[in-house]
Amino acid sequence: MFRFLHAADIHLDSPLRGLERYDEVLAEEVRGAPRRALENLVGLAIEEDVAFVLIAGDLYDGDWRDYNTGIFFVRQMRRLEKAGIPVHLVSGNHDAASCITKRLRLPPNVVHYSEKHPETRLLPDLGVAIHGQSFAGREVREDLSSAYPAAKPGHFNIGLLHTSLDGRPGHAVYAPCNVTGLRSKGYDYWALGHVHEREVVSQDPWIVFPGNIQGRHVRELGSRGCSLVTVDDGMVRDLEHRSVDVVRWARIEVDLSGIPAAEDSIDRVRQEIERVCQDAEDRTVAVRIVLGGRSPAHEALVGNPERWIHEYREQASAVPGAAVHVERILFETRPERELAWRVGRTEEREDALGDLLDLIARLDQDSVDLAELGGLFDEFAKRLPAPLLGKEEGFDPTAARTIREALPA
């Protein structure tokens, strides 16, 4: 029996995009978080006495600003060398051969697979064969896995690959492949990288995205880490997610429907912050707060947002035993009477918009097919300005959620 760690998408010294405008302290914490997460990963490997570590691409986020990035990685690999733990890694789209111009000699325990062709490395004492190929350039459009050799008989075969597989939302298509093609190689475990969300794609054979080891923004929520894999008698007996992140991202949606005054929102926000802190296992929490619902407090909230932003930040700083940073606060509440007023005036319109509003006013939310209704807004959506549709909190009039929120309560 032996165990190994499968990690990917470390993104050492990843640059921040716009975070400083929300919270300078949080920006500094997140900037250093990938390094501390890698330290945790190395510590976990030593603590669990694993046989080897796999890194499935995007160790770096691009060319180094200076050599300190490479020096840090080499020092962490030397910790594993002293513990007798080898490391096998491939490069992905961010750290492809064409992207990294600065180089440092890697310790002898680190095997970096060639970008020119697939390589196979044997671990005779364990009966393991690891097959892998790095990216030569940032955009690899061909299926690299198709050239990987067939499984080596009598060995536990692992495919180490950076890929978008058959496509995942939010991730560019690189080295595309499919489960059928991977399965045809006869490997026991495919150690994949590139997709930042943890996913066990298959258990026959095991095809796994471990996710990235540290969330970098509010779209990468929840626990981040690696997969600890136990192999016994040539078969995977257990696969366990282990958290190594140091900053935990959370998005809390606070329903303020019906609260009589803006002051009443403070306790609700604090309760939600305390809840996510309990789930974060003593980690620093970076939270986005979204206030919603139809409320009499709407005018007070949007009329003086700066005051309430400071109120909520103060509540976050007062949570006992937790380090909480509020990344952003979104005010998405609505006036309690707004919709009734709008619908009431539709009788004055004798055009297509009036007919549509009358139809919406009569709809029963529990029975209407919102997806079908969304099709009515396709032409309208095409005429909206690109910035409105493309920003992070983009408005989509065809989405079922948008329509549901616009329907009368």
Side-chain angles (χ1 to χ4, degrees):
M1 186 187 80
F2 64 88
R3 291 184 295 177
F4 66 89
L5 282 185
H6 167 203
D9 301 285
I10 293 168
H11 292 279
L12 271 182
D13 294 342
S14 171
L16 301 180
R17 296 176 177 87
L19 189 58
E20 291 92 337
R21 72 177 183 269
Y22 301 125
D23 189 322
E24 291 183 3
V25 176
L26 173 58
E28 189 60 34
E29 283 216 43
V30 175
R31 184 180 292 109
R35 287 195 178 197
R36 292 161 59 200
L38 179 60
E39 290 175 336
N40 290 344
L41 177 73
V42 170
L44 176 64
I46 296 171
E47 179 183 347
E48 295 291 345
D49 192 26
V50 299
F52 53 89
V53 173
L54 305 176
I55 301 177
D58 285 358
L59 167 62
Y60 306 113
D61 202 65
D63 207 4
W64 312 338
R65 287 187 301 175
D66 55 52
Y67 279 94
N68 287 324
T69 300
I71 290 171
F72 177 82
F73 176 68
V74 168
R75 286 176 177 170
Q76 295 308 307
M77 295 305 98
R78 292 204 183 280
R79 289 176 61 196
L80 292 175
E81 181 187 18
K82 291 178 180 178
I85 299 174
V87 179
H88 293 254
L89 67 90
V90 294
S91 296
N93 53 294
H94 280 280
D95 57 354
S98 64
C99 296
I100 304 297
T101 61
K102 302 178 181 70
R103 302 286 177 186
L104 288 175
R105 179 179 295 181
L106 295 173
N109 65 316
V110 179
V111 178
H112 188 187
Y113 286 72
S114 171
E115 73 277 6
K116 298 177 181 178
H117 52 76
E119 291 185 301
T120 299
R121 299 299 180 100
L122 302 181
L123 305 180
D125 294 343
L126 299 173
V128 171
I130 303 175
H131 317 273
Q133 181 177 354
S134 294
F135 276 32
R138 185 178 181 87
E139 297 190 4
V140 174
R141 303 300 182 185
E142 67 271 21
D143 178 2
L144 293 182
S145 70
S146 64
Y148 279 39
K152 186 170 180 60
H155 288 68
F156 183 86
N157 286 263
I158 298 174
L160 188 55
L161 179 66
H162 196 80
T163 177
S164 58
L165 200 59
D166 49 6
R168 292 296 184 276
H171 293 82
V173 177
Y174 294 130
C177 57
N178 56 58
V179 171
T180 300
L182 297 184
R183 188 172 285 144
S184 70
K185 297 297 178 179
Y187 295 177
D188 302 284
Y189 187 95
W190 279 94
L192 306 185
H194 181 56
V195 175
H196 287 191
E197 296 298 322
R198 180 176 183 267
E199 181 182 357
V200 178
V201 179
S202 167
Q203 295 185 25
D204 184 24
W206 288 85
I207 302 174
V208 178
F209 287 107
N212 55 351
I213 69 170
Q214 171 59 59
R216 298 182 298 160
H217 46 70
V218 77
R219 293 185 300 279
E220 296 182 345
L221 303 172
S223 172
R224 301 281 155 167
C226 59
S227 293
L228 176 62
V229 185
T230 301
V231 178
D232 190 17
D233 197 22
M235 298 180 63
V236 173
R237 300 298 183 183
D238 187 43
L239 184 143
E240 181 183 356
H241 172 74
R242 290 295 190 91
S243 300
V244 299
D245 55 344
V246 296
V247 176
R248 186 71 54 83
W249 291 88
R251 174 187 171 104
I252 62 175
E253 299 192 8
V254 185
D255 185 1
L256 301 182
S257 298
I259 68 165
E263 286 80 3
D264 298 321
S265 69
I266 297 174
D267 288 339
R268 292 199 183 184
V269 168
R270 182 186 175 101
Q271 289 169 5
E272 289 299 314
I273 293 174
E274 290 177 344
R275 180 184 59 79
V276 298
C277 288
Q278 290 173 358
D279 295 337
E281 303 169 300
D282 297 324
R283 289 169 171 80
T284 294
V285 176
V287 63
R288 174 172 292 186
I289 301 170
V290 183
L291 307 174
R294 298 190 182 98
S295 170
H298 170 77
E299 285 79 7
L301 291 170
V302 301
N304 189 9
E306 185 177 1
R307 175 198 167 179
W308 302 109
I309 288 172
H310 286 290
E311 289 276 14
Y312 303 143
R313 288 185 183 274
E314 172 59 26
Q315 291 300 311
S317 67
V319 174
V324 185
H325 297 279
V326 178
E327 176 257 4
R328 191 176 182 186
I329 299 171
L330 300 179
F331 293 85
E332 296 185 355
T333 55
R334 296 187 177 193
E336 193 172 41
R337 300 295 181 184
E338 173 191 27
L339 211 35
W341 178 84
R342 288 183 179 178
V343 174
R345 293 180 61 91
T346 59
E347 59 192 30
E348 301 176 12
R349 304 187 64 104
E350 296 182 356
D351 56 9
L353 178 59
D355 292 340
L356 179 59
L357 290 174
D358 282 334
L359 172 63
I360 292 175
R362 295 193 301 270
L363 285 173
D364 176 355
Q365 293 190 58
D366 295 329
S367 62
V368 65
D369 186 340
L370 295 178
E372 182 177 345
L373 181 61
L376 299 174
F377 295 92
D378 282 341
E379 191 62 32
F380 171 60
K382 294 176 184 178
R383 298 176 183 273
L384 291 174
L388 180 63
L389 295 169
K391 64 182 182 179
E392 184 178 324
E393 305 293 333
F395 172 71
D396 181 3
T398 68
R401 177 180 177 182
T402 303
I403 297 170
R404 184 178 293 109
E405 291 176 349
L407 289 171

